[in-house]
Amino acid sequence: MSAPQNHPEEPRTIGILGAGRVGTAVGRQALKAGYDVMVATSKPAEDIALMVQIMTPGAVAVTATEAAEADIVVVAVPLHKYRTLDPALLAGKTVIEAMNYWAPVDGEIDDFENDDRTSSEIVQDYLAGSNIVKTLNHIGYHDLEVDGREPGSEGRRALALAGDHQGAKYLVSRFINRIGYDAVDAGPLEAGRSFQPGTEIFNGSHTAEQLRSILSADREPVRL
């Protein structure tokens, strides 16, 4: 993978849309790795400033417009709210989609119940101008902050990523590595099906070698 045109070789700023458990955990881990982190919600920045200061010390509360100016934008809102995102705001941006469809929790949503595509492909269709990369959805927010290891560490945990834009995947792979995990390219966005809820990858912790083995098996045609 190579860096996309008109993008930095190494991402420096991370914008996070959503200040729940996932968004704040990603923010803390990104700060620990040395990134500048901006957090936005649907509320005015001044209304969430104290909460951001407490939950992600060192991050800056901003508007969604300001967060979207970051090198990478992490979308960490409940999936049923994905249509509250502004497609124009994220056009041309590298966007990590860290959401999951949980019908038992969120209730059945027609967008996902009546469409054979993965949830990420449906989100990509809505955010048509952005470069979606699915990842960070298959690690718990608590694990994210304790499982990270230096590159080359024995047994280092790996995270899969999937997307249709090679440059965006390159940037995200750099980010994943810097926050403590090996990044494994699963393929195009539809390959994210291999680490949706209920899958072996979603339910476990794996090294890069193990992840590649599972992803390879998923691509093998079923013998009848």
Side-chain angles (χ1 to χ4, degrees), residues 44-177:
E46 57 268 27
D47 288 3
I48 65 168
L50 180 59
M51 183 272 290
V52 169
Q53 181 183 344
I54 294 171
M55 297 297 293
T56 52
V60 180
V62 297
T63 65
T65 299
E66 292 168 321
E69 293 174 356
D71 296 329
I72 293 175
V73 181
V74 181
V75 174
V77 301
L79 185 56
H80 67 271
K81 293 185 176 180
Y82 80 97
R83 287 188 179 276
T84 65
L85 300 169
D86 183 351
L89 204 62
L90 297 173
K93 304 301 299 186
T94 293
V95 176
I96 291 178
E97 195 270 276
M99 302 179 286
N100 288 304
Y101 178 47
W102 287 94
V105 175
D106 295 328
E108 293 189 355
I109 303 174
D110 286 345
D111 287 8
F112 306 108
E113 289 291 332
N114 300 311
D115 196 315
D116 290 335
R117 295 176 297 171
T118 65
S119 59
S120 295
E121 291 174 281
I122 295 168
V123 173
Q124 174 70 87
D125 190 42
Y126 175 68
L127 300 175
S130 64
N131 302 315
I132 297 284
V133 179
K134 185 177 188 68
T135 190
L136 293 178
N137 70 304
H138 59 289
I139 182 170
Y141 60 87
H142 176 70
D143 293 341
L144 180 67
E145 295 187 84
V146 298
D147 285 359
R149 299 286 185 273
E150 291 295 321
S153 299
E154 184 177 357
R156 193 188 198 210
R157 186 169 179 173
L159 298 177
L161 57 87
D164 296 331
H165 190 278
Q166 288 300 116
K169 286 198 290 188
Y170 171 84
L171 278 186
V172 172
S173 70
R174 305 287 286 184
F175 172 67
I176 294 296
N177 179 63

